[in-house]
Amino acid sequence: MTPDPISTTGLPQRIAAPLAYAGWWVTGVLFWFLERRDSYVRFHAAQACVVFGAIALVVALLAGLAAISLLFMPNAFGFWLWTAGLCWLAGLALWVVAIWNAANGRVWRIPGAAEIADRMCS
């Protein structure tokens, strides 16, 4: 068994890549800026930025719609809040799978986000 290559951050690939997902898009941005050499870590960091940034934005927008609905359509509040919660739960499940794959050395390409991450890394 060969040891994992060390990334620019000083961490082995199989630790740095899952850590890029650890704080959703925040740690993705951090690792994407810090890592300059390792394409594996950079890809996972870029994918974390794209996927979890988009999920965080959608959840925030839905929560905002829930808050605004209290002013105009109070009956819709529950719908928007449940929708935001379901999106967050789906993001949580995706997050666990992404961390698991990165920790096991797999390049798991999330459809749509992987293509954007490829452009960010090139």
Side-chain angles (χ1 to χ4, degrees), residues 11-90:
L11 298 169
Q13 275 184 342
R14 291 176 68 178
I15 292 178
L19 283 176
Y21 288 110
W24 281 44
W25 62 272
V26 177
T27 53
V29 169
L30 183 68
F31 273 88
W32 188 71
F33 276 115
L34 292 176
E35 182 56 55
R36 289 288 156 217
R37 223 178 17 222
D38 193 328
S39 61
Y40 178 75
V41 175
R42 277 186 64 81
F43 171 78
H44 282 290
Q47 187 165 256
C49 293
V50 173
V51 170
F52 298 112
I55 291 172
L57 183 64
V58 167
V59 168
L61 288 173
L62 290 170
L65 279 173
I68 290 172
S69 74
L70 285 173
L71 297 173
F72 302 107
M73 298 182 307
N75 293 337
F77 175 77
F79 169 77
W80 292 118
L81 199 59
W82 270 95
T83 306
L86 288 174
C87 285
W88 182 81
L89 280 175

